[in-house]
């Protein structure tokens, strides 16, 4: 992890990663594992690809069987358009027989097509999303580390037609913010006190990642939005990223980290304090 990126993340959130001997302790690991949460992603759009493949094979076979009757019949008809058949009764028998065969073959072909369409319908996009966040990475607070799973990320990039390297970068950004949120110390040295399973963790990490990536190349923001939506991520309901100051977000975040209050309550309280001019200009985020 390049130092400049870590510094940028710390400055954006106003927190510091834990240190040992004056050096920040951050460990990123990129793994080729496929966690259980990523199994649907790795199968892509198909819950049972073997079943769908078999349906295609069946339709292909039935189509070929239909053509085996249709093509000779068409060839014979072309001959008879140029020269009438010598024996009308034989021509009539041929037409009746081939017509019956075509009707049976067509019925089988249409049934195979109907079955295939049903299989394709059962493997629609909505069956894949949303994906659990832990399908793409896990954050360890105790070790101040993050493990990112590359195979599910690459598969998702292929499905969503995203640049895999850009997607990999924005995922690292997200987990950096998430790791800093749960393991970092406030500027005055106080630490995080909420439970690790707090649902707002992912939401706040997402809010900061959106703000950070908004200053980067548009492709990064696009990749992050697609990935964020794929695993069902949501930003805090009371937080409007447009037009809100970074200081207000930071103050509410520090307040929320230290108090057993909802994010909406913390955001409202900070908003009320911000409105107390000129007193609020003396309030610092680290005072909460």
């Amino acid at each position: 992890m390049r130092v400049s990126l870590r510094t940028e993340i710390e400055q954006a959130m106003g927190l510091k990663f834990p240190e040992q001997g004056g050096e920040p302790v951050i460990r990123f690991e990129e793994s080729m594992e496929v966690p259980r949460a990523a199994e649907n992603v790795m199968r892509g759009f198909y819950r049972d690809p073997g079943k769908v493949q078999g349906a295609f094979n069946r339709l292909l076979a039935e189509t070929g069987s239909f053509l085996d009757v249709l093509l000779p019949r068409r060839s014979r008809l072309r001959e008879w358009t140029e020269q009438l058949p010598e024996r009308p009764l034989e021509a009539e028998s041929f037409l009746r027989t081939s017509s019956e065969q075509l009707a049976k073959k067509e019925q089988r072909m249409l049934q195979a097509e109907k079955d295939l369409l049903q299989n394709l319908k059962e493997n629609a996009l909505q069956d894949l999303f949303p994906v659990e966040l832990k399908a793409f990475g896990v954050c360890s607070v105790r070790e101040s580390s993050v493990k990112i799973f590359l195979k599910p990320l690459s598969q998702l990039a292929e499905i969503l037609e995203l640049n895999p390297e850009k997607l990999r970068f924005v995922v690292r950004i997200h987990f950096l913010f998430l790791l800093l949120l749960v393991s970092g110390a406030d500027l005055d040295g106080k630490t995080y006190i909420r439970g690790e399973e707090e649902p707002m963790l992912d939401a706040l990490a997402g809010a900061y990642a959106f703000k950070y990536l908004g200053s980067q190349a548009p492709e990064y923001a696009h990749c992050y939005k697609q990935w964020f939506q794929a695993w069902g991520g949501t930003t805090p309901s009371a937080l409007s990223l447009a037009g809100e100051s970074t200081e207000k977000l930071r103050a509410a975040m520090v307040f929320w980290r230290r108090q057993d209050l909802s994010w909406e309550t913390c955001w409202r309280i900070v908003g009320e304090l911000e409105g107390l001019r000129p007193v609020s200009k003396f309030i610092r985020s680290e005072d909460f």
Side-chain angles (χ1 to χ4, degrees), residues 15-281:
L15 303 176
K16 286 286 185 180
F17 281 107
E19 296 183 353
Q20 288 183 359
E23 293 294 328
V25 183
I26 311 173
R27 185 168 62 85
F28 262 76
E29 176 186 354
E30 293 184 333
S31 172
M32 299 304 288
E33 298 175 50
V34 178
R36 181 175 296 276
E39 290 178 355
N40 285 338
V41 178
M42 296 309 296
R43 284 196 294 266
F45 294 105
Y46 300 101
R47 287 189 222 158
D48 189 347
K51 183 178 180 181
V52 179
Q53 187 69 49
F56 271 112
N57 287 334
R58 180 185 165 199
L59 179 57
L60 177 63
E62 295 298 343
T63 302
S65 180
F66 183 82
L67 291 175
D68 287 343
V69 178
L70 179 63
L71 292 180
R73 176 185 170 101
R74 188 169 185 271
S75 177
R76 185 70 62 86
L77 291 174
R78 182 184 296 112
E79 293 177 6
W80 290 341
T81 59
E82 297 175 355
Q83 183 177 354
L84 292 176
E86 295 180 359
R87 299 178 179 84
L89 291 179
E90 290 183 3
E92 180 183 350
S93 175
F94 172 82
L95 291 175
R96 288 184 184 277
T97 301
S98 61
S99 179
E100 291 173 358
Q101 290 176 336
L102 283 175
K104 293 178 181 179
K105 300 291 185 182
E106 182 182 28
Q107 186 176 5
R108 291 173 58 89
M109 184 176 66
L110 290 176
Q111 184 60 48
E113 183 179 60
K114 181 180 179 181
D115 294 342
L116 175 57
L117 288 172
Q118 182 61 34
N119 282 327
L120 292 174
K121 183 179 180 180
E122 291 174 356
N123 288 276
L125 185 64
Q126 56 266 30
D127 294 324
L128 179 62
F129 302 126
V131 183
E132 293 181 86
L133 177 60
K134 60 184 179 182
F136 306 105
V138 291
C139 176
S140 173
V141 181
R142 294 180 180 178
E143 301 176 3
S144 294
S145 65
V146 170
K147 178 187 288 188
I148 294 180
F149 303 113
L150 296 181
K151 283 188 175 181
L153 272 183
S154 298
Q155 178 70 352
L156 186 68
E158 182 177 350
I159 292 172
L160 298 180
E161 298 182 350
L162 301 175
N163 183 310
E165 286 303 313
K166 288 183 170 60
L167 180 60
R168 181 178 169 188
F169 174 77
V170 299
V171 169
R172 288 168 71 91
I173 293 294
H174 178 90
F175 278 103
L176 259 180
F177 275 115
L178 182 59
L179 181 61
L180 182 56
L181 184 61
V182 299
S183 66
D186 300 334
L187 297 181
D188 63 356
K190 293 186 178 180
T191 56
Y192 173 78
I193 63 171
R194 302 183 76 99
E196 294 179 19
E197 301 303 319
E198 169 65 52
M200 279 302 301
L201 288 174
D202 291 327
L204 282 174
Y208 274 98
F210 271 117
K211 287 180 72 70
Y212 177 84
L213 292 170
S215 63
Q216 308 298 310
E219 292 82 0
Y220 288 120
H222 174 69
C223 282
Y224 184 69
K225 181 179 180 181
Q226 295 298 310
W227 174 73
F228 193 76
Q229 292 176 339
W231 60 266
T234 56
T235 53
S237 58
L239 175 59
S240 173
L241 296 179
E244 298 293 354
S245 70
T246 301
E247 286 303 318
K248 181 178 179 181
L249 175 59
R250 182 179 298 167
M253 180 268 296
V254 173
F255 194 10
W256 177 82
R257 277 163 49 94
R258 297 189 187 177
Q259 305 295 327
D260 187 20
L261 298 172
S262 68
W263 168 261
E264 287 74 12
T265 300
C266 293
W267 184 255
R268 177 180 55 78
I269 292 173
V270 170
E272 291 173 352
L273 291 174
E274 189 180 47
L276 298 176
R277 304 294 183 182
V279 178
S280 64
K281 69 179 181 180

